[in-house]
Amino acid sequence: MATISFPHNHQSSDSRRGGSHHHRHGPVVEEIEGLIKVFNDGCVERPPIVPTVSPTLHPSAKATAFDIKLSNDTWTRVYIPDAAAASPSVTLPLLVYFHGGGFCVGSAAWSCYHDFLTSLAVQARCVVVSVNYRLAPEHRLPAAYDDGVNVVTWLVKQQISNGGYPSWVSKCNLSNVYLAGDSAGANIAYQVAVRITASGKYVNTPNLKGIILIHPFFGGESRTSSEKQQHHSKSSALTLSASDAYWRLALPRGASRDHPWCNPLGSSTAGAELPTTMVFMAEFDILKDRNLEMCKVMRSHGKRVEGIVHGGVGHAFHILDNSSVSRDRIHDMMCRLHNFIHP
């Protein structure tokens, strides 16, 4: 789901170390209530808080979806709009999407992502490849970044392989590729883009036209105003304590929140090599100020950055909030995504 939490139920690891919380795996050393529990022996529990669904879509969805296993650790779910499937000559932009979840929870099969990306493929007229990557703390960063790069290079190889490529790839315009994600998935999209645009680092790189960052999950040791003001907000799904817990579980052991994977703005060249970027922000999100600063820094490097702040909603509203206000903002988001992908 994005970097979600339950604002009133989150308890820090310090409060979970009492004798009443001992378990056959030892005491709980980190917990985000309802989402993840990490025990002293390294065992991890993730309650099934969100249903997972098969790729099967109802005909009324106007799209086809299917899963492709890439390795024991990674797989993708592909969404193709019926408009492309119906015409052999039609090719559409390819959008590679990374789900959120603080790097620690979430799945490309979660119903909230399945529904959102089905709508995105149809309304934004693109082929969507949703990536199911390895999760922390079992696989700390850069595992998710490595998985993202591997999926992107795999997609390019599908087109250039000597044996031809699967029929669904023929629906993709691989000279028109976008990377996208929400929350931690937006962080992954950003870091994957940095890696594949690094000069000479990877051989099979796509023609990356743009990056779409929805409520990107970044941090730092110094708190921003929105982090201070919204840290217990009832209007947003991400709390400051949950954010800190995710970073403790995802970053390399011993790293602070000023590690460049968490705080890329610590670098004077942050975002300097990236293509055109669209950044979605939410009024009640603790990450709002950090996201605004990222837009400012990228623009200072001469990058074209389109920043949108949706009012009256919180972090990851597009998959977590079904209110009328949220539905209006989602409609606006879809229109903007369509226009960004089809300039």
Side-chain angles (χ1 to χ4, degrees):
M1 227 176 237
T3 43
I4 59 172
S5 63
F6 295 92
H8 304 297
N9 295 330
H10 174 262
Q11 298 182 37
S12 70
S13 58
D14 292 339
S15 67
R16 302 293 293 181
R17 292 193 176 104
S20 61
H21 299 294
H22 276 258
H23 186 275
R24 63 189 177 91
H25 296 291
V28 174
V29 296
E30 201 78 74
E31 180 174 8
I32 301 173
E33 189 77 17
L35 287 165
I36 187 168
K37 187 182 292 186
V38 182
F39 296 90
N40 190 54
D41 69 349
C43 178
V44 179
E45 290 183 356
R46 295 179 178 88
I49 189 171
V50 179
T52 58
V53 295
S54 77
T56 305
L57 292 171
H58 190 274
S60 63
K62 300 180 181 178
T64 301
F66 50 89
D67 293 344
I68 301 174
K69 183 177 180 180
L70 303 184
S71 70
N72 289 334
D73 298 314
T74 58
W75 55 273
T76 65
R77 179 162 294 183
V78 180
Y79 301 84
I80 301 178
D82 287 350
S87 176
S89 61
V90 171
T91 62
L92 295 177
L94 172 63
L95 186 145
V96 181
Y97 195 93
F98 301 93
H99 68 78
F103 307 103
C104 298
V105 299
S107 168
W110 272 11
S111 58
C112 53
Y113 281 110
H114 185 66
D115 294 343
F116 175 72
L117 294 177
T118 300
S119 296
L120 177 61
V122 173
Q123 295 184 43
R125 293 183 60 246
C126 60
V127 175
V128 176
V129 174
S130 177
V131 182
N132 202 76
Y133 51 85
R134 288 173 292 170
L135 298 176
E138 300 95 324
H139 305 281
R140 290 176 178 263
L141 297 174
Y145 304 153
D146 293 341
D147 291 346
V149 169
N150 289 339
V151 168
V152 173
T153 53
W154 167 77
L155 286 165
V156 175
K157 288 177 183 176
Q158 299 307 298
Q159 188 181 46
I160 63 176
S161 60
N162 293 329
Y165 48 82
S167 59
W168 72 268
V169 180
S170 67
K171 301 301 177 184
C172 306
N173 180 354
L174 292 182
S175 65
N176 196 8
V177 177
Y178 294 81
L179 299 185
D182 63 86
S183 199
N187 177 299
I188 296 169
Y190 174 90
Q191 295 290 352
V192 169
V194 168
R195 282 159 171 72
I196 66 176
T197 55
S199 178
K201 194 168 184 180
Y202 296 97
V203 177
N204 296 313
T205 57
N207 188 354
L208 197 57
K209 288 295 184 67
I211 312 296
I212 299 162
L213 308 178
I214 304 174
H215 314 155
F217 186 44
F218 294 110
E221 289 296 319
S222 178
R223 304 299 193 188
T224 65
S225 294
S226 61
E227 286 171 342
K228 294 174 183 176
Q229 295 167 6
Q230 305 279 2
H231 68 110
H232 286 311
S233 173
K234 298 178 182 179
S235 303
S236 190
L238 179 65
T239 65
L240 193 59
S241 56
S243 173
D244 289 351
Y246 282 128
W247 286 120
R248 287 193 297 270
L249 292 170
L251 286 171
R253 292 185 186 278
S256 77
R257 292 193 305 276
D258 283 331
H259 190 288
W261 295 339
C262 177
N263 186 10
L265 297 184
S267 167
S268 60
T269 59
E273 300 302 318
L274 297 186
T276 300
T277 302
M278 172 174 275
V279 182
F280 288 99
M281 295 159 275
E283 180 184 6
F284 300 139
D285 190 357
I286 63 170
L287 302 176
K288 182 187 70 173
D289 287 352
R290 209 170 283 280
N291 295 166
L292 286 168
E293 181 66 17
M294 167 158 277
C295 293
K296 179 181 176 182
V297 169
M298 291 181 68
R299 289 184 185 120
S300 74
H301 294 307
K303 296 289 139 182
R304 182 184 154 219
V305 180
E306 185 174 347
I308 302 100
V309 180
H310 284 119
V313 286
H315 188 76
F317 71 87
H318 61 296
I319 57 165
L320 300 177
D321 185 354
N322 195 35
S323 68
S324 59
V325 172
S326 179
R327 288 196 298 271
D328 287 344
R329 305 298 184 265
I330 293 170
H331 176 74
D332 177 75
M333 180 184 285
M334 289 293 187
C335 291
R336 291 178 183 274
L337 286 170
H338 176 275
N339 293 339
F340 185 71
I341 294 170
H342 301 276

